[in-house]
Amino acid sequence: MSGSDELTRRRLLFGAAVVAGSVTLGACSSGGGGNSTGEGPKPSKGPAKRGSAPKPLAAPRQLKESPELAAQVKAGKLPALKDRLPDKPYVIPHYWAQNGKYGGTLRMACGASNDGAIKEYMYGHSPLRWLNDGLTLGPGLAESWESNQDASVWTFHFRKGLKWSDGQKWTTADIMFWWNDMVLDPDFSEGIPDEARSGKGTVARFEAPDDYTLVITYDAPSPMVPDMIANWVNRGIAATWMEPKHYMKQFHPKYNKSVGKDWTTKFDEKRNTVYNPETPTMGGWQLATYSEGRATTWKRNPYYWVVDQAGNQLPYIDGLNFRVVDNIETRKLQIQSGQFDQVHGPFNSLTLGDISGLKRSQGKSGMKMLLWDSGSGTGSIFFFNQDYDEPAMRALIRKAEFRQALSLAYDRGEARKSIYFDTGTPTTGGYGPKTREFHRGNGPQEYKQWRESWVKFDPERAKSMLDKLGVVDKDGDGKREKPDGSKLIVRLNYPADIDTTGEHMKKNQLLKKSWDAIGIDTRLSPVSPTSFGDQWAQGKLMTTTAWETSTMSVAADMLWLMPMEPSRWASLQGQFYALRGTPDEKKQLDLDPYKRTPPRAAPEPGSPVDRLWKLADKVRVEVDQTKRDKLVWDMIRVHVDEGPFFMGVVANYPQIVLVKDGLRNVPTKEQTALGGLVNDWHHPTPAAYDPEAWFWDDPKSHA
């Protein structure tokens, strides 16, 4: 992996985390401050228990280890198991998990040797964890946590005796190294994650009074902090949250004056767990070999701090082999020929259109197909840039009636049938049905209203609404013009390197068909993928068409609900928000918004964005969950009445997971709490289902 790859990840982190209370999910424990149990709504109960125990399980008295590690202990190459595990190991709480067998390897495919998706198999660096498809917040490296009454001070108690994969102690010094020497170091620019900002947007204070306690102090109530901390796979996407100080300090100028001026590049390379076999990890497996562009192999971490309910140290499987297959079609052929043991569909470009071919090849591949819920809020998405730099078009885009008319003219039924094979639920666009707020109080009704607000296919009403706006065919060419008489062209912008036969392009072609039919000149418009983000941020692109939304909590992830950074539906207003409270906020206000560096603009007073921002400021500091939910519903009603600000096709369509015969403890949809949750990277999948607990019926046949 090059240093630039990791720098790109840091920019992604910064763009996603530069604002308070966003980019993450979940909702705080019911109520607000005080002691936090981490419990949320309980999963539904059926004939058999689904999901996972909502409360932490006590560690068994007797602990066991793999024969491989036991032999190393006997040979004096490893300390005894009791000296490798923390005083209180984490016990996997899943009802579906059976006691397994040690041994064997797992063969998987990846698109690149440094593929970020590899990290999605390991949840080991997370202080807190999501359980029950996001309904429950559980412990991780942190054994317990609590806040003061107004949720402005959060204290986390970490397990005693944790160790890195090289046997060195894990302590809160590893968090403070990340915080002081990476996040707060102006030369490194790790970026301030959401959980480190208060409800007012200011940076928190981190303190570690001892090796096992972390105290985070905010200048305002910050009730969503635990939910945000559970998100992602740390040391993967978004906040790193820790680095092995004993190893990494040799690459940092504060501790080693001879590292050189370009130290950040080497630092990034050395800390990357999918690139550097020497970097210590807290995950279940550690990188053993790295072959650029070909393969990576992973071996068991002898210090992994997780056990099963019988006291067996995980992982069961000795190692992982990831083979690089960058051509999608070649990868699919190799999957069908049985060359892999587990295939997570979204990481391997599998779509519902592949189901028939995969089923036909089951005899050869030996793969069983599972269909997990995606949890998606939209499927393939479409949205205008409310800050598009052409004034007449921008004015039209900002008219709710224009966007509502286009939504009514969108034949989602055809898209649902041809792209999603009549699965999922038609949706105007919004967050997904797994979102935590939608499972309590008035949540189900609020979700249904949002989902159905402008979803009906009614082209005649759409044409009537356009007529009233003055968007009519003035010159008789069969195409509608803008109200001022100028040409109206809707450009469906997308990165030029996306799969031309994939869901986004199929959806774009159907959008064009639907909108051409009501007289809107709609054109497919590829854009260089390397410049797409910059052009969008400057307001030079009209639309985005190759994305989707999903999340786990509205209150902790408002990035889609309102512009907070420049990549979503109002790029300049999002950039303005991102700079709130910084020294740059008041600079260049005498310049044209499009000529500022970076381009940015405040919302018009009383506009939907202005009102959403003001509501969000209240959401972030509201400790009482019921009151906070009511504020969230007020925000959603802005979308219902004055949206859609983004348009979807269907919510919660299935995703494909393939499992080789004989591989156990990979849950089926029916065994999970809510049917699975795949698409939202805040809920790391498959990491949240503990792949370390997977095992082979016959390990010797998979050596």
Side-chain angles (χ1 to χ4, degrees), residues 396-605:
L396 193 57
I397 288 170
R398 290 186 176 184
K399 289 185 180 296
E401 297 85 354
F402 177 68
R403 288 176 276 108
Q404 291 163 0
L406 293 190
S407 185
L408 294 172
Y410 183 5
D411 190 350
R412 291 177 173 85
E414 184 177 1
R416 179 174 182 254
K417 180 178 181 180
S418 62
I419 302 173
Y420 299 100
F421 296 84
D422 285 326
T423 64
T425 305
T427 181
T428 299
Y431 286 5
K434 311 283 185 174
T435 306
R436 285 163 66 92
E437 286 93 339
F438 299 153
H439 288 266
R440 60 188 183 229
N442 201 40
Q445 294 84 358
E446 297 289 345
Y447 170 67
K448 185 174 185 290
Q449 184 181 14
W450 192 9
R451 188 187 70 211
E452 296 180 355
S453 54
W454 300 97
V455 75
K456 184 179 179 182
F457 180 49
D458 192 344
E460 293 306 313
R461 184 183 174 193
K463 288 189 282 188
S464 176
M465 292 175 70
L466 292 172
D467 290 345
K468 291 179 180 178
L469 286 173
V471 180
V472 297
D473 179 10
K474 298 180 185 296
D475 58 12
D477 66 350
K479 300 293 183 183
R480 295 174 183 265
E481 278 75 48
K482 301 190 193 87
D484 65 0
S486 61
K487 290 287 186 183
L488 170 58
I489 299 172
V490 172
R491 301 186 186 279
L492 302 179
N493 300 124
Y494 58 90
D497 62 348
I498 68 170
D499 184 358
T500 56
T501 63
E503 74 175 298
H504 297 306
M505 282 305 298
K506 288 180 179 178
K507 178 264 305 178
N508 288 348
Q509 290 159 357
L510 292 174
L511 273 182
K512 174 175 169 54
K513 178 181 177 182
S514 289
W515 292 343
D516 280 345
I518 62 166
I520 300 290
D521 187 355
T522 310
R523 303 181 187 181
L524 300 174
S525 181
V527 179
S528 168
T530 58
S531 67
F532 195 102
D534 288 340
Q535 289 192 61
W536 181 267
Q538 295 168 29
K540 296 183 181 300
L541 298 181
M542 185 185 296
T543 68
T544 286
T545 64
W547 212 340
E548 74 167 322
T549 69
S550 59
T551 197
M552 290 169 56
S553 167
V554 182
D557 178 18
M558 293 186 277
L559 275 173
W560 287 105
L561 209 57
M562 64 183 196
M564 303 173 68
E565 46 77 50
S567 70
R568 287 166 174 81
W569 48 269
S571 61
L572 270 71
Q573 293 172 83
Q575 184 62 67
F576 191 92
Y577 189 97
L579 293 179
R580 289 202 320 176
T582 71
D584 292 334
E585 180 181 12
K586 304 297 184 182
K587 294 180 180 179
Q588 299 182 326
L589 297 185
D590 57 329
L591 298 180
D592 181 290
Y594 293 86
K595 295 180 180 178
R596 296 170 183 167
T597 305
R600 59 193 184 278
E604 297 176 1

Side-chain angles (χ1 to χ4, degrees), residues 273-340:
T273 55
V274 300
Y275 175 76
N276 177 22
E278 295 179 0
T279 186
T281 181
M282 297 297 289
W285 295 277
Q286 60 187 115
L287 184 65
T289 64
Y290 180 89
S291 179
E292 179 69 37
R294 297 181 60 188
T296 64
T297 65
W298 297 70
K299 62 183 179 180
R300 174 187 283 108
N301 172 8
Y303 295 88
Y304 190 49
W305 47 280
V306 178
V307 301
D308 70 8
Q309 295 173 32
N312 297 299
Q313 185 193 25
L314 299 177
Y316 289 127
I317 290 176
D318 293 336
L320 312 176
N321 294 335
F322 284 92
R323 187 200 309 165
V324 177
V325 189
D326 55 4
N327 182 278
I328 294 173
E329 294 308 314
T330 300
R331 194 185 312 160
K332 289 180 181 180
L333 289 172
Q334 292 183 0
I335 290 169
Q336 292 177 350
S337 65
Q339 297 186 36
F340 304 108

